[in-house]
Amino acid sequence: MNAHERYISAAETEIAKFVEVVGRAEPATPVPTCPGWTVADLIRHYGTVQRWITHIVRTLPEERVAEGDLDLGLPDDVNDYPRWLADGVPPLVTTLRATPGDTPAWAFGPDQHVRFWSRRVLHETVVHRADAELALGREPVIDRELAADGVEEFLTTYTHHPRIARRIAEFGRFGETLHLHATDGDGEWMVTLGPDGTRWERGHGKGAVAARGTTSDLLLLLYGRYEPKRCTVFGDEDLLSGWLAAAAPR
């Protein structure tokens, strides 16, 4: 099984978990990790992204398609949102499986192939499943290897997203290095800030700041779901918090 197929299979599992969690929640339940959002907002966002990715993989555009240009079929009643979310799963999975991962396709990351989207939808689901569980007072459990891949997908994809790359450049601190250290298995990453973008590599080193925590906690830290105090931080805390604020998707 190649990486594209593995990502699709893992995404199926994560989507099923997400659908189960939001199906148990009241639509008006606040989502503390997404300030101002309710569970209904979370479902609408994820279901929109789900259908947007399906459209991209199905049509293989050469440039970005706006989500607002799609007919989403969003129900009027928020109580029908979980069903709408579930209805979007088969077309997504079928479309991804029918399209080889090395097929060229527009993407907002450096990998301009369909395999970018199977990986992206997997980690989009993982993070939003965590959002839903935290909204219900649960502690998210994310497989260590899955979380490690999520860390690397974040560092590869989001730090190069034009809007986020601009915020990181405005933050500055060029030449500074951050060390992310997983405490539950192999997983260390060195992140270096520069005027030409953010670079990262696996491995141990001494940075201006280090954050140590489980791989799952590091992933949710990068996405702004956890505060730095969730981890053990050594060194320049202002560097870590400033970079996280610039790099987190929002």
Side-chain angles (χ1 to χ4, degrees):
M1 183 183 295
N2 62 34
H4 177 58
E5 292 166 342
R6 287 199 304 273
Y7 287 133
I8 296 169
S9 295
E12 275 190 291
T13 299
E14 286 297 320
I15 293 171
K17 293 177 182 178
F18 181 62
V19 170
E20 185 272 331
V21 174
V22 297
R24 293 175 177 270
E26 290 294 326
T29 303
V31 181
T33 49
C34 301
W37 278 18
T38 64
V39 166
D41 295 320
L42 182 64
I43 296 173
R44 182 172 63 247
H45 165 76
Y46 179 84
T48 298
V49 172
Q50 177 191 65
R51 286 160 170 80
W52 179 60
I53 293 175
T54 302
H55 177 82
I56 289 172
V57 176
R58 181 179 290 152
T59 62
L60 301 174
E62 295 183 357
E63 55 187 36
R64 188 183 188 281
V65 177
E67 295 94 321
D69 293 341
L70 304 180
D71 180 8
L72 300 173
L74 187 70
D76 294 329
D77 187 345
V78 294
N79 291 298
D80 292 331
Y81 279 14
R83 174 193 53 77
W84 172 77
L85 175 65
D87 287 347
V89 177
L92 171 67
V93 172
T94 299
T95 302
L96 284 169
R97 281 216 166 97
T99 313
D102 58 359
T103 304
W106 174 85
F108 63 81
D111 186 1
Q112 300 281 303
H113 297 88
V114 166
R115 60 178 174 257
F116 170 92
W117 292 109
S118 56
R119 192 183 192 191
R120 176 83 292 275
V121 77
L122 169 59
H123 295 300
E124 180 85 2
T125 310
V126 168
V127 172
H128 287 318
R129 191 255 295 175
D131 287 328
E133 291 187 317
L134 289 165
L136 294 182
R138 301 181 184 179
E139 182 80 5
V141 176
I142 302 173
D143 174 79
R144 187 188 66 78
E145 291 187 8
L146 177 58
D149 188 74
V151 167
E152 297 189 355
E153 196 259 356
F154 177 93
L155 294 173
T156 300
T157 297
Y158 274 107
T159 59
H160 293 87
H161 187 288
R163 184 176 66 252
I164 295 172
R166 184 168 58 252
R167 291 204 304 259
I168 293 173
E170 290 170 352
F171 173 62
R173 304 291 298 267
F174 301 141
E176 300 277 24
T177 301
L178 303 90
H179 179 206
L180 304 175
H181 189 154
T183 57
D184 56 343
D186 293 337
E188 293 189 69
W189 300 270
M190 300 299 297
V191 181
T192 304
L193 309 185
D196 56 346
T198 301
R199 294 181 290 106
W200 69 273
E201 60 183 1
R202 296 175 185 167
H204 181 78
K206 183 173 178 56
V209 63
R212 292 171 54 90
T214 67
T215 317
S216 174
D217 285 354
L218 291 175
L219 174 65
L220 296 178
L221 175 72
L222 290 176
Y223 274 94
R225 270 51 183 185
Y226 286 154
E227 297 291 332
K229 63 184 179 182
R230 175 83 181 195
C231 300
T232 302
V233 179
F234 303 94
D236 189 341
E237 296 184 13
D238 289 340
L239 172 63
L240 178 63
S241 59
W243 180 77
L244 289 172
R250 61 177 187 268

